[in-house]
Amino acid sequence: GGFGILGTGDAVPAGTTFDSYQASNCSDGWALVAGNVTPPGSSATAGIFLFQAEGQFWVPKTVSDACSGDVPSALKSAACQFVR
């Protein structure tokens, strides 16, 4: 499992902590966030992350979700530009 660091396509393993964020853009229950994560046993790394609201929770999405038809048009071009 895990979610993707957009731009690298790397999967972020379970147990990763989301340490901080520098910027976010939200639309229709989706958020594109620039931030730092620390995978278990590794050092912090920066990335761009995509989340979808499900009830009261923000669920991390995979890199393959970034250009899907589910992502609002206001975020899709920004999310897709980070996918190589």
Side-chain angles (χ1 to χ4, degrees), residues 25-60:
N25 190 357
C26 301
S27 178
D28 298 324
W30 288 78
L32 189 63
V33 179
N36 296 309
V37 296
T38 303
S42 298
S43 56
T45 186
I48 306 294
F49 306 92
L50 183 65
F51 294 90
Q52 182 181 21
E54 290 185 11
Q56 63 181 351
F57 300 101
W58 285 99
V59 178

